[in-house]
Each structure stands twice: as structure tokens, then as C-alpha cells.
Amino acid sequence: MIKSRKIRFASLGSGSKGNATLVSCGETHLLIDCGFAMKETTRRLQRLGVEPAELTAVLITHEHGDHIGGAGALVRRYQLPLYTTNGTKISGRFNGEVPDWRAINPEHSFAVKDLEVWPVTVPHDAREPVQFVISDGANRLGVLTDLGSITPHVVRHFQSCQALVLEANHDPDMLARGPYPVSLKRRVGGDFGHLSNQQAADFLTQIETDKLSHLVASHLSEQNNDPYLACSAFAKAVNTTPDWITLANQEEGFGWRDIQA
Ligand SMILES: [Zn+2]
Ligand SMILES: [Zn+2]
């Protein structure tokens, strides 16, 4: 009998106030980042039909609060394995003990039950930040947010994904005119900050997108971006219309998307 493979993914919410992406394959449920408090994480997981106790593991990309805010409490309450780089571990941003910490070595893949995870180093102002390509052996999902620039290394690793959750943080004009203090504008727009719509769109023209069946614009700044600008930039880069692009927002994230072999 041929085992039917299917990766499903959804978002609990995405943006500067909190991020969490759920990736499932059969009974394997990985939570990538946990930027919401435990009660809120639970509510958002249940909205997607998953109980926190059903999670297989929590994987963290880096130690910024919008990614680890609720992780410590969640893994302690449900005794879940927590995967982070050593840099993230020693950042001191986890409050309290982590019962089952497992090391991520950037550029070394590892398996968590039915899924294989490739951690990819990205330029971002954290201790040892990574983003992930996740595969069930047949299909690949790329999760790529929180990076200030696109490196050849990133381009090499995110080729030929069937689904991509990609940062579209800001529109440079809106950032320049917006309310942020100068130092924060410089940080967000810098090489170790966040991708603009156009930087992300340029990245899409550098990778193989023929197999792409889901493209998500994520980690949008509520103050410095407009969803239509982000989706239009992505659509133009992959030769489609803006309504084909999925938008991940802060309140709702987005519902389940299936990648089928
Ligand atoms: Zn972030
Ligand atoms: Zn960050």
C-alpha cells in the first residue's frame, strides 16, 4: 500500500505582535514559533482543531518576543520538546526551565516523526536565527520571515518549494513616512531587519517557483505596509493575480492549506 502523504499548514497569527505557524503531516504536528501567551495560543490552536497536548514539538526560529513569547510556558505545561539553536537558548529570553531542549544545528537537517526539517541561517539581528524548509519526503514547505536581506545561501536552500510562507514586512515609503523613531526605521529597513515587499518579490524571481501551489505573504507590519501592496508585489513576481496570494494577518493568521503529493 502506498502511504498517502500530505503536509498541511496554517497560521495562528502573523505580524510584529506575535507569530506561530502550524505544520502537520498525519499525527505529526509542529508548531513553528510561539509568540502568543499560552491561553491565546490554545485558543488559536483550537480554532484550527488542534489541542496543545497533541503537538509533537515546538521549533523556534529566534529569540524575539513575537516568536518565543509563549513558548516556555507552553512546553512546560505540556512537556513538549523544544528545538532551538544554541544561540537562541543562551539568549536568556526563555522565562524559566525548558524540560526537553533539543539543539538545532544550522544547515543540519533533523527528523521529527514524519517530517524532516532543514534549518537555514538568515541575516537578522538575533543571536543565531534560522528559518526552515520542511519536507515529508515528497513536498517542501518553506517558512522564511525575519531577515533583512536575501543571501545566496537563502536562495540556494529555498528552491523548488510547493508552498512558501514569505515575509513581506514593509513598504519602504510607508516606513519612511510612518510613526517609528529613526533608529527603529533604520533597524527594520537594514540588512539585519526585515524584508520589504520588493525585496521579497525580488527573491521570488531568483528561485524556481514552477511547483509553487501556495504562496503566503506574512509578517506584515500593520503600520508600515498595506496588504494589497504586498500581494501585488508577490503576484507580479510569480506572474499571477493578487487574489491568488494568501495573506497571513495578525488576528487570524490563515486557515489550513494542503500540499498533496
Ligand atoms: Zn518577527
Ligand atoms: Zn525577529
Side-chain angles (χ1 to χ4, degrees), residues 62 64 66-67 124-125 146 187 194:
H62 64 297
H64 290 159
D66 57 319
H67 298 264
H124 191 54
D125 51 3
D146 296 78
R187 192 221 135 208
H194 293 276

Side-chain angles (χ1 to χ4, degrees), residues 15-19 33 61-62 64-67 124 131 145-147 167 169 187 193-194 219:
S16 52
K17 292 180 190 140
N19 294 274
D33 289 330
T61 58
H62 64 297
H64 290 159
D66 57 319
H67 298 264
H124 191 54
Q131 294 291 320
T145 70
D146 296 78
L147 69 170
E167 169 162 66
N169 180 259
R187 192 221 135 208
H194 293 276
H219 213 304

Side-chain angles (χ1 to χ4, degrees), residues 23 29 51 54 78 116 146 152 167 179 216 234 239:
V23 183
H29 303 288
E51 292 295 328
E54 292 178 281
Y78 294 99
E116 180 135 38
D146 296 78
E167 169 162 66
V216 182
F234 279 21
N239 251 325

Side-chain angles (χ1 to χ4, degrees), residues 63-84:
E63 69 272 22
H64 290 159
D66 57 319
H67 298 264
I68 66 161
L74 188 75
V75 298
R76 277 192 295 278
R77 169 76 174 77
Y78 294 99
Q79 296 291 303
L80 301 169
L82 179 75
Y83 290 77
T84 81

Side-chain angles (χ1 to χ4, degrees), residues 31-34 55-60 71 74-75 80-84:
L31 189 66
I32 299 181
D33 289 330
C34 185
L55 292 173
T56 311
V58 178
L59 280 61
I60 300 294
L74 188 75
V75 298
L80 301 169
L82 179 75
Y83 290 77
T84 81

